[in-house]
Amino acid sequence: MSRVLVIDDSPMLVELTVRALTAAGYQASGAVDLASLEQKLTEGPAALILMDVNMPEMFGDDVVEYLRSQKKVSSKLVLYSDISEEELATKARTSGADGYIVKGQGLEAVLAEVIKLIGPPAITAVPPAASEPPPAPAAAAPEAASAPPAKSGGLPAAPATGKRKPRILIVDDSEMTARIIEADLVTKGFEVHVADTADKATKIILKKQTRPDLVLLDVRMPNVNGEQFCRFIKSNSLFKGIKVLLCSGENVEELQRICREAGADGYVPKDAVMSSLVARELNPAPASQE
Protein backbone atom coordinates (compact mmCIF):
# COMPACT_ATOMS: atom_id res chain seq x y z
CA MET A 1 0.00 0.00 0.00
CA SER A 2 1.47 3.38 -1.05
CA ARG A 3 -1.16 5.82 0.17
CA VAL A 4 0.19 9.19 1.33
CA LEU A 5 -1.77 12.00 3.01
CA VAL A 6 -0.56 15.59 2.84
CA ILE A 7 -1.86 17.91 5.59
CA ASP A 8 -1.16 21.63 5.13
CA ASP A 9 -3.31 24.75 5.52
CA SER A 10 -1.89 26.04 2.24
CA PRO A 11 -4.08 24.70 -0.61
CA MET A 12 -1.30 25.61 -3.04
CA LEU A 13 1.32 23.48 -1.25
CA VAL A 14 -1.15 20.63 -0.83
CA GLU A 15 -1.91 20.55 -4.56
CA LEU A 16 1.73 20.81 -5.62
CA THR A 17 2.85 18.07 -3.20
CA VAL A 18 -0.03 15.74 -4.10
CA ARG A 19 0.72 16.23 -7.80
CA ALA A 20 4.40 15.40 -7.27
CA LEU A 21 3.63 12.27 -5.23
CA THR A 22 0.98 11.12 -7.71
CA ALA A 23 3.37 11.61 -10.61
CA ALA A 24 5.91 9.48 -8.74
CA GLY A 25 3.38 6.65 -8.49
CA TYR A 26 1.93 7.09 -5.00
CA GLN A 27 -1.76 7.23 -4.15
CA ALA A 28 -1.75 10.74 -2.71
CA SER A 29 -4.43 13.05 -1.39
CA GLY A 30 -4.48 16.16 0.76
CA ALA A 31 -6.33 17.99 3.51
CA VAL A 32 -6.13 21.61 4.65
CA ASP A 33 -7.49 21.23 8.20
CA LEU A 34 -8.06 18.65 10.95
CA ALA A 35 -11.68 18.00 9.97
CA SER A 36 -10.54 17.07 6.48
CA LEU A 37 -7.83 14.87 7.97
CA GLU A 38 -10.40 12.98 10.03
CA GLN A 39 -12.41 12.40 6.84
CA LYS A 40 -9.35 11.15 4.98
CA LEU A 41 -8.54 8.70 7.78
CA THR A 42 -11.98 7.11 7.43
CA GLU A 43 -11.24 6.37 3.77
CA GLY A 44 -8.59 3.82 4.68
CA PRO A 45 -5.12 3.50 6.19
CA ALA A 46 -2.21 5.54 4.91
CA ALA A 47 1.39 4.41 4.70
CA LEU A 48 2.60 7.92 5.50
CA ILE A 49 1.13 11.23 6.66
CA LEU A 50 3.01 14.46 5.88
CA MET A 51 2.03 17.02 8.53
CA ASP A 52 2.60 20.78 8.41
CA VAL A 53 3.76 22.12 11.78
CA ASN A 54 2.03 25.51 11.86
CA MET A 55 -1.62 24.62 11.37
CA PRO A 56 -4.21 27.23 12.48
CA GLU A 57 -6.13 24.88 14.79
CA MET A 58 -3.27 22.91 16.28
CA PHE A 59 0.47 22.49 15.91
CA GLY A 60 1.53 19.60 13.70
CA ASP A 61 3.67 18.00 16.41
CA ASP A 62 0.61 17.95 18.70
CA VAL A 63 -1.37 16.31 15.90
CA VAL A 64 1.33 13.64 15.62
CA GLU A 65 0.97 12.85 19.33
CA TYR A 66 -2.84 12.84 18.96
CA LEU A 67 -2.73 10.45 16.00
CA ARG A 68 -0.41 8.09 17.86
CA SER A 69 -2.10 8.09 21.28
CA GLN A 70 -5.78 8.74 20.50
CA LYS A 71 -6.33 7.47 16.97
CA LYS A 72 -3.78 4.64 17.21
CA VAL A 73 -2.55 5.46 13.72
CA SER A 74 0.31 3.22 12.61
CA SER A 75 1.25 5.32 9.56
CA LYS A 76 4.68 6.85 9.27
CA LEU A 77 4.35 10.47 10.44
CA VAL A 78 6.56 13.21 9.02
CA LEU A 79 6.66 16.86 10.12
CA TYR A 80 6.94 19.46 7.37
CA SER A 81 7.73 23.13 7.99
CA ASP A 82 9.77 26.22 7.13
CA ILE A 83 10.95 26.73 10.73
CA SER A 84 14.65 26.19 11.41
CA GLU A 85 15.91 22.66 10.88
CA GLU A 86 17.17 22.48 14.46
CA GLU A 87 13.74 23.37 15.87
CA LEU A 88 12.00 21.06 13.43
CA ALA A 89 14.27 18.15 14.36
CA THR A 90 13.51 18.76 18.05
CA LYS A 91 9.75 18.79 17.43
CA ALA A 92 9.99 15.58 15.42
CA ARG A 93 11.97 13.87 18.18
CA THR A 94 9.76 14.99 21.09
CA SER A 95 6.48 14.26 19.29
CA GLY A 96 7.52 10.79 18.16
CA ALA A 97 7.41 11.64 14.45
CA ASP A 98 9.26 9.32 12.09
CA GLY A 99 11.03 12.14 10.30
CA TYR A 100 10.95 15.74 9.19
CA ILE A 101 11.35 17.81 6.02
CA VAL A 102 12.32 21.47 5.70
CA LYS A 103 9.94 23.10 3.21
CA GLY A 104 12.72 25.17 1.71
CA GLN A 105 14.37 21.99 0.43
CA GLY A 106 11.56 21.62 -2.12
CA LEU A 107 9.48 18.76 -3.47
CA GLU A 108 12.58 16.68 -4.20
CA ALA A 109 13.19 16.40 -0.44
CA VAL A 110 9.58 15.30 0.09
CA LEU A 111 9.90 12.50 -2.46
CA ALA A 112 13.27 11.41 -1.06
CA GLU A 113 11.90 11.18 2.51
CA VAL A 114 8.76 9.34 1.41
CA ILE A 115 10.82 6.79 -0.51
CA LYS A 116 13.18 6.38 2.46
CA LEU A 117 10.35 5.72 4.92
CA ILE A 118 7.89 3.60 2.91
CA GLY A 119 9.87 2.65 -0.17
CA PRO A 120 9.07 3.32 -3.82
CA PRO A 121 5.51 2.69 -5.05
CA ALA A 122 4.80 -0.90 -6.03
CA ILE A 123 3.74 0.20 -9.52
CA THR A 124 5.00 3.44 -11.00
CA ALA A 125 1.99 5.31 -12.31
CA VAL A 126 2.20 7.21 -15.56
CA PRO A 127 1.52 10.87 -14.75
CA PRO A 128 -1.70 12.19 -16.29
CA ALA A 129 -1.16 14.34 -19.34
CA ALA A 130 -2.55 17.36 -17.49
CA SER A 131 0.31 17.27 -14.99
CA GLU A 132 2.93 17.68 -17.70
CA PRO A 133 3.69 21.35 -18.37
CA PRO A 134 3.40 22.24 -22.03
CA PRO A 135 6.72 22.97 -23.71
CA ALA A 136 7.59 26.63 -23.98
CA PRO A 137 7.43 27.94 -27.54
CA ALA A 138 10.93 27.91 -28.99
CA ALA A 139 10.96 31.62 -29.75
CA ALA A 140 9.14 32.77 -26.62
CA ALA A 141 12.08 33.02 -24.23
CA PRO A 142 14.50 34.88 -26.50
CA GLU A 143 11.73 37.14 -27.69
CA ALA A 144 10.77 38.18 -24.17
CA ALA A 145 14.38 38.42 -23.11
CA SER A 146 15.40 40.67 -25.97
CA ALA A 147 12.41 42.99 -25.73
CA PRO A 148 13.24 46.27 -23.92
CA PRO A 149 11.75 45.88 -20.39
CA ALA A 150 10.91 49.61 -20.22
CA LYS A 151 8.61 49.06 -23.19
CA SER A 152 6.89 46.08 -21.55
CA GLY A 153 8.29 43.54 -24.01
CA GLY A 154 6.20 40.37 -24.16
CA LEU A 155 3.28 41.95 -22.29
CA PRO A 156 -0.31 42.16 -23.53
CA ALA A 157 -1.19 44.94 -25.95
CA ALA A 158 -2.28 48.29 -24.58
CA PRO A 159 -6.02 48.46 -23.91
CA ALA A 160 -8.40 49.66 -26.58
CA THR A 161 -10.88 52.33 -25.59
CA GLY A 162 -13.89 50.86 -23.77
CA LYS A 163 -12.25 47.47 -23.17
CA ARG A 164 -10.90 45.97 -19.96
CA LYS A 165 -7.29 46.83 -19.27
CA PRO A 166 -4.87 43.91 -19.68
CA ARG A 167 -4.35 42.46 -16.21
CA ILE A 168 -0.89 41.62 -14.88
CA LEU A 169 -0.01 39.82 -11.65
CA ILE A 170 3.45 40.48 -10.19
CA VAL A 171 4.62 37.67 -7.90
CA ASP A 172 7.76 38.65 -6.00
CA ASP A 173 8.75 38.36 -2.33
CA SER A 174 10.58 41.70 -2.57
CA GLU A 175 7.95 44.36 -1.93
CA MET A 176 10.22 47.14 -3.18
CA THR A 177 10.91 45.37 -6.47
CA ALA A 178 7.24 44.54 -6.98
CA ARG A 179 6.08 48.10 -6.28
CA ILE A 180 8.64 49.65 -8.64
CA ILE A 181 7.57 47.37 -11.48
CA GLU A 182 3.90 47.89 -10.58
CA ALA A 183 4.22 51.68 -10.79
CA ASP A 184 5.83 51.42 -14.22
CA LEU A 185 3.15 49.07 -15.58
CA VAL A 186 0.28 51.17 -14.19
CA THR A 187 1.59 54.21 -16.08
CA LYS A 188 1.48 52.11 -19.25
CA GLY A 189 -2.23 51.43 -18.79
CA PHE A 190 -2.24 47.95 -17.24
CA GLU A 191 -4.33 46.74 -14.32
CA VAL A 192 -1.76 45.38 -11.86
CA HIS A 193 -2.04 43.07 -8.85
CA VAL A 194 0.84 42.15 -6.54
CA ALA A 195 1.47 39.04 -4.40
CA ASP A 196 4.55 38.19 -2.34
CA THR A 197 3.87 34.44 -2.06
CA ALA A 198 2.51 31.71 -4.31
CA ASP A 199 -0.40 31.23 -1.88
CA LYS A 200 -1.55 34.84 -2.26
CA ALA A 201 -1.01 34.66 -6.01
CA THR A 202 -3.17 31.54 -6.22
CA LYS A 203 -6.07 33.31 -4.52
CA ILE A 204 -5.82 36.14 -7.06
CA ILE A 205 -5.69 33.73 -10.01
CA LEU A 206 -8.62 31.65 -8.78
CA LYS A 207 -10.99 34.64 -8.73
CA LYS A 208 -12.37 35.36 -12.17
CA GLN A 209 -12.56 39.10 -11.51
CA THR A 210 -8.81 39.27 -10.72
CA ARG A 211 -7.49 36.45 -12.93
CA PRO A 212 -4.53 37.93 -14.86
CA ASP A 213 -3.73 37.78 -18.53
CA LEU A 214 -0.07 37.50 -17.63
CA VAL A 215 1.98 36.60 -14.53
CA LEU A 216 5.35 38.28 -14.05
CA LEU A 217 6.96 35.70 -11.79
CA ASP A 218 10.06 35.83 -9.61
CA VAL A 219 11.95 32.52 -9.56
CA ARG A 220 13.43 32.53 -6.06
CA MET A 221 10.66 32.70 -3.45
CA PRO A 222 10.09 30.96 -0.08
CA ASN A 223 8.13 27.69 0.22
CA VAL A 224 6.95 27.45 -3.39
CA ASN A 225 9.47 28.78 -5.89
CA GLY A 226 8.67 30.35 -9.23
CA GLU A 227 9.49 27.22 -11.22
CA GLN A 228 7.03 25.14 -9.17
CA PHE A 229 4.36 27.84 -9.37
CA CYS A 230 4.77 28.14 -13.13
CA ARG A 231 4.25 24.37 -13.47
CA PHE A 232 1.11 24.68 -11.33
CA ILE A 233 -0.34 27.37 -13.60
CA LYS A 234 0.60 25.65 -16.85
CA SER A 235 -0.70 22.22 -15.79
CA ASN A 236 -4.14 23.50 -14.75
CA SER A 237 -6.63 23.74 -17.61
CA LEU A 238 -8.51 26.48 -15.74
CA PHE A 239 -5.54 28.78 -16.29
CA LYS A 240 -4.71 27.85 -19.89
CA GLY A 241 -5.13 31.44 -21.11
CA ILE A 242 -2.61 32.87 -18.64
CA LYS A 243 0.88 33.66 -19.94
CA VAL A 244 3.84 33.43 -17.57
CA LEU A 245 7.01 35.51 -17.86
CA LEU A 246 9.85 34.69 -15.48
CA CYS A 247 11.45 37.80 -13.99
CA SER A 248 14.56 36.93 -12.04
CA GLY A 249 18.13 37.74 -11.17
CA GLU A 250 19.23 34.26 -12.31
CA ASN A 251 21.76 34.11 -15.13
CA VAL A 252 20.30 33.90 -18.61
CA GLU A 253 21.25 30.23 -19.11
CA GLU A 254 19.46 29.23 -15.91
CA LEU A 255 16.42 31.34 -16.84
CA GLN A 256 16.28 29.65 -20.24
CA ARG A 257 16.43 26.20 -18.61
CA ILE A 258 13.66 27.01 -16.11
CA CYS A 259 11.58 28.66 -18.84
CA ARG A 260 11.89 25.56 -21.02
CA GLU A 261 11.31 22.96 -18.30
CA ALA A 262 8.51 24.77 -16.43
CA GLY A 263 6.64 25.73 -19.59
CA ALA A 264 6.92 29.50 -19.15
CA ASP A 265 6.13 31.74 -22.11
CA GLY A 266 9.32 33.74 -21.77
CA TYR A 267 11.63 35.54 -19.36
CA VAL A 268 12.90 39.01 -18.53
CA PRO A 269 16.15 39.34 -16.52
CA LYS A 270 15.31 41.34 -13.40
CA ASP A 271 18.46 43.43 -13.56
CA ALA A 272 17.49 44.56 -17.06
CA VAL A 273 14.04 45.58 -15.83
CA MET A 274 15.35 47.45 -12.80
CA SER A 275 18.24 49.08 -14.69
CA SER A 276 15.83 50.38 -17.32
CA LEU A 277 13.45 51.81 -14.74
CA VAL A 278 16.22 53.43 -12.70
CA ALA A 279 17.89 54.86 -15.80
CA ARG A 280 14.62 56.40 -16.91
CA GLU A 281 14.10 58.01 -13.49
CA LEU A 282 17.66 59.40 -13.43
CA ASN A 283 17.52 60.56 -17.04
CA PRO A 284 14.05 62.01 -17.65
CA ALA A 285 13.14 63.17 -21.12
CA PRO A 286 14.40 66.74 -21.68
CA ALA A 287 11.85 69.49 -21.52
CA SER A 288 10.70 70.76 -24.90
CA GLN A 289 12.46 73.88 -26.11
CA GLU A 290 10.37 76.96 -26.80
Side-chain angles (χ1 to χ4, degrees):
M1 190 235 346
S2 301
R3 185 166 179 250
V4 179
L5 297 181
V6 179
I7 316 302
D8 197 310
D9 62 326
S10 163
M12 171 72 194
L13 278 177
V14 168
E15 179 160 355
L16 282 171
T17 308
V18 167
R19 281 177 178 269
L21 291 168
T22 301
Y26 293 97
Q27 181 187 345
S29 60
V32 295
D33 52 35
L34 295 183
S36 302
L37 171 58
E38 293 279 358
Q39 175 60 39
K40 293 293 182 183
L41 291 174
T42 65
E43 297 173 2
L48 183 144
I49 299 176
L50 186 64
M51 173 65 63
D52 182 29
V53 170
N54 293 319
M55 297 286 289
E57 305 155 288
M58 202 172 177
F59 289 118
D61 46 327
D62 293 331
V63 177
V64 167
E65 295 180 11
Y66 165 74
L67 292 175
R68 287 280 191 243
S69 61
Q70 302 295 321
K71 304 297 289 185
K72 307 300 180 185
V73 168
S74 60
S75 312
K76 296 289 186 182
L77 302 174
V78 177
L79 291 179
Y80 183 50
S81 180
D82 53 8
I83 61 177
S84 72
E85 185 169 3
E86 182 180 359
E87 183 182 358
L88 187 55
T90 300
K91 287 182 178 292
R93 183 172 60 253
T94 57
S95 67
D98 297 284
Y100 67 88
I101 301 170
V102 178
K103 283 185 177 181
Q105 295 175 344
L107 295 175
E108 295 80 5
V110 173
L111 290 172
E113 186 69 10
V114 170
I115 291 172
K116 184 177 82 172
L117 289 173
I118 64 174
I123 301 175
T124 302
V126 177
S131 67
E132 291 290 337
E143 187 176 297
S146 61
K151 295 184 179 179
S152 301
L155 301 178
T161 305
K163 291 187 178 181
R164 174 179 71 79
K165 295 180 179 179
R167 190 176 294 143
I168 297 176
L169 170 61
I170 301 169
V171 187
D172 197 311
D173 61 330
S174 167
E175 181 180 1
M176 182 180 71
T177 299
R179 293 304 176 189
I180 290 173
I181 298 174
E182 176 191 22
D184 181 60
L185 292 174
V186 167
T187 63
K188 290 181 168 65
F190 297 103
E191 177 186 335
V192 182
H193 297 264
V194 175
D196 60 2
T197 66
D199 275 347
K200 292 178 182 177
T202 301
K203 292 175 182 177
I204 292 172
I205 291 175
L206 286 172
K207 294 179 181 177
K208 191 172 182 180
Q209 62 268 34
T210 56
R211 187 170 301 157
D213 301 294
L214 180 142
V215 177
L216 197 59
L217 179 60
D218 184 27
V219 173
R220 300 299 172 202
M221 296 191 301
N223 296 336
V224 178
N225 64 38
E227 183 173 357
Q228 293 169 332
F229 191 53
C230 181
R231 290 180 186 275
F232 167 72
I233 294 173
K234 289 299 185 180
S235 63
N236 194 319
S237 59
L238 182 65
F239 310 140
K240 64 182 180 181
I242 299 176
K243 292 186 179 296
V244 178
L245 283 184
L246 302 178
C247 183
S248 176
E250 299 288 334
N251 63 61
V252 172
E253 291 76 14
E254 179 66 2
L255 272 176
Q256 288 174 337
R257 180 197 66 78
I258 296 172
C259 183
R260 180 175 61 252
E261 295 182 4
D265 297 280
Y267 65 87
V268 183
K270 188 178 287 187
D271 57 351
V273 175
M274 301 307 293
S275 296
S276 174
L277 296 178
V278 171
R280 195 182 61 195
E281 291 300 318
L282 293 178
N283 299 287
S288 59
Q289 299 288 328
E290 288 276 341

